[in-house]
Amino acid sequence: SDQVDYLTKTKNRVEKEKQTLVVELDGLSGQLDSVTKIKMSLEGRVDAAEQSASRLKGQVDDLTRQLNDLSSLKARLTQENFDLQHQVQELDSSNAALAKAKSQLQNSNDDLKRQLDDEMRQRQNLQVNLSALQSDYDNLNARLEEEAETNSSLRNQLSKVSADY
């Protein structure tokens, strides 16, 4: 009779411990699901940041090509201006017409310089944005690694609990 009581009490205690472990296991499972969802979210953010960085790189490349085109155009216009000035010296009779053309070319040159300045400012802004995105990417990547370590730790704990029972 005492042995039966002892075995019954032991069985009840083991059942309570089993239920406690099941509850803990459910909690850990929920935490694992949360970590998995966070990981998926972060991976999506990383993908979006990479796509954005790629798009910005393309824009920077386009602006660089435009800058090169404008530099070439500026050089060509500068050469044309020199040629026109030389013609002014050779052709005194058409001095008034050439002076007007020179003024127009100078205005075009100034407009191109202003456009070049604007594009340089835009390019600098894009570089600042790219740096910010890189920083965001690095922060997200670090956070992902932390979450992965937490996930691994939780898995190890779950494995130990499972192995113990």
Side-chain angles (χ1 to χ4, degrees), residues 28-122:
L28 288 174
S29 177
Q31 288 177 357
L32 181 60
D33 289 344
S34 294
V35 167
T36 301
K37 287 178 184 176
I38 290 171
K39 179 184 174 190
M40 290 172 57
S41 173
L42 289 175
E43 286 173 349
R45 287 181 185 173
V46 166
D47 289 343
E50 287 173 348
Q51 290 173 0
S52 183
S54 176
R55 180 180 48 81
L56 288 174
K57 184 185 180 300
Q59 289 176 350
V60 167
D61 290 344
D62 288 344
L63 288 174
T64 301
R65 281 191 290 276
Q66 290 175 8
L67 179 63
N68 289 337
D69 291 345
L70 287 174
S71 295
S72 174
L73 180 60
K74 179 184 174 187
R76 185 175 54 84
L77 288 174
T78 302
Q79 183 60 43
E80 286 178 16
N81 190 31
F82 174 79
D83 292 341
L84 288 174
Q85 288 176 355
H86 183 69
Q87 289 176 12
V88 166
Q89 292 172 359
E90 293 179 356
L91 304 170
D92 271 349
S93 63
S94 59
N95 190 24
L98 289 176
K100 184 178 178 181
K102 179 181 175 185
S103 176
Q104 290 173 345
L105 284 174
Q106 189 61 44
N107 288 339
S108 294
N109 195 19
D110 291 343
D111 288 343
L112 288 173
K113 284 180 182 179
R114 281 191 293 277
Q115 288 176 0
L116 181 61
D117 289 342
D118 289 343
E119 289 178 6
M120 288 298 290
R121 280 190 291 279
Q122 289 175 355

